[in-house]
Amino acid sequence: MPDTAPAIECESLRVRRGKKLVLHGITVTVPCGQVVGLLGPSGGGKTTLMRSIVGVQRIASGSVQVLGLPSGDARLRRLVGYSTQAASIYDDLTVRQNLSYFRSVLGARAEDIDRVLQETALSDTAGQLVATLSGGQRSRVSLAVAMLSSPPLLVLDEPTVGLDPVLREDLWNLFHDLARGGSTLLVSSHVMDEATRCDRLLLMRDGDLVADLTPSELLARTGAATAEEAFLAIIRQHPKHRAGGS
Ligand SMILES: Nc1ncnc2c1ncn2[C@@H]1O[C@H](COP(=O)(O)OP(=O)(O)O)[C@@H](O)[C@H]1O
Ligand SMILES: [Mg+2]
């Protein structure tokens, strides 16, 4: 893996799901060591782009390179942590049992379990069955699983949705701590308020990347007072794709 490779490099990426072209040719480079927000309304293609990056999405054309390797390459398995929008963890196991299971799958170390429990503030719930957890706790278990192998790239699909403001603040602080340690985080959200928490923003709408900028550039470019207003101003400048169009 070349040290100088960007975390993610997409070139003219097009993805079809069912009959619909859902990514219309995305070209973007994400440098290492930043917290990058992937923002935009539901249905815009955030999850599809993330699936393409982690190598579980069939691509129609174009390419995706991750840490200098083609997405889905076996060597990326321990280098990319992915937490899905709907937490994919086992309800009938405790939090710790889930982590033990995924630790053995990933070949992570035993001590990583206590580390991720602490980082996601789940130490007190370690013995609880996942079925009995709140939505916010479940998404943190899924995040903890993604963090087990300390991957240099974390792809987190709406990790802060449904969390109370204090927990959300804690998680964003954790994301920045991880980035300071050299990790790259791609974090999606449909809540535009989260924009100000990111080092860099990728704004998606209707299968297109409509902006790639910093939060302050977003406000400066649009003259808007809030990220939400700025985003609306940007999407008004971008015509929607017609259904089925390519
Ligand atoms: N399994 C699927 N089959 C067909 N279309 C899908 C499927 N999953 C998502 N889509 C469509 O792909 C588009 C992008 O969805 P998605 O990537 O989930 O967006 P987001 O994560 O931004 O909400 C939407 O129009 C959605 O309806
Ligand atoms: Mg999604």
Side-chain angles (χ1 to χ4, degrees):
M1 172 180 49
D3 279 345
T4 49
I8 302 163
E9 243 179 328
C10 297
E11 179 68 43
S12 308
L13 172 65
R14 284 156 42 106
V15 172
R16 204 174 279 286
R17 295 186 89 170
K19 289 203 164 120
K20 194 178 168 202
L21 190 67
V22 297
L23 297 183
H24 299 257
I26 304 275
T27 296
V28 68
T29 300
V30 173
C32 291
Q34 291 193 336
V35 180
V36 179
L38 180 59
L39 301 183
S42 292
K46 302 182 296 296
T47 295
T48 305
L49 180 57
M50 288 184 148
R51 286 169 50 86
S52 307
I53 291 164
V54 300
V56 297
Q57 178 66 55
R58 192 165 152 225
I59 288 169
S61 63
S63 69
V64 187
Q65 294 270 316
V66 177
L67 304 166
L69 297 167
S71 68
D73 189 290
R75 285 167 289 177
L76 290 170
R77 207 161 72 116
R78 274 201 262 171
L79 302 178
V80 181
Y82 176 40
S83 87
T84 53
Q85 200 164 347
S88 27
I89 45 177
Y90 296 101
D91 271 353
D92 54 343
L93 298 181
T94 66
V95 173
R96 186 180 288 279
Q97 285 167 339
N98 264 281
L99 290 168
S100 296
Y101 169 73
F102 287 106
R103 181 196 75 77
S104 60
V105 171
L106 289 163
R109 297 163 310 167
E111 55 265 39
D112 287 320
I113 294 179
D114 285 311
R115 174 182 56 81
V116 297
L117 282 169
Q118 203 164 24
E119 286 174 332
T120 54
L122 283 169
S123 300
D124 293 345
T125 36
Q128 221 172 302
L129 281 181
V130 164
T132 67
L133 299 178
S134 71
Q137 287 171 323
R138 292 173 67 89
S139 63
R140 277 183 289 140
V141 177
S142 170
L143 174 61
V145 169
M147 289 165 51
L148 269 173
S149 61
S150 304
L153 174 63
L154 273 168
V155 177
L156 309 176
D157 202 352
E158 310 240 9
T160 60
V161 166
L163 298 189
D164 65 64
V166 175
L167 271 177
R168 202 181 313 171
E169 167 86 17
D170 288 348
L171 272 192
W172 282 105
N173 288 336
L174 169 62
F175 297 162
H176 284 285
D177 284 346
L178 293 168
R180 269 190 291 274
S183 299
T184 306
L185 291 92
L186 183 66
V187 182
S188 76
S189 178
H190 65 273
V191 181
M192 281 308 292
D193 288 354
E194 312 259 60
T196 51
R197 308 274 197 172
C198 304
D199 297 321
R200 183 152 208 96
L201 303 170
L202 305 177
L203 303 186
M204 282 193 83
R205 189 268 200 141
D206 197 28
D208 287 310
L209 186 67
V210 295
D212 172 3
L213 33 59
T214 64
S216 49
E217 284 167 354
L218 173 70
L219 298 179
R221 184 184 296 184
T222 55
T226 65
E228 175 116 36
E229 273 177 46
F231 183 70
L232 287 172
I234 284 182
I235 62 177
R236 268 189 224 110
Q237 298 158 5
H238 281 262
K240 252 181 174 278
H241 278 272
R242 282 188 294 276
S246 57

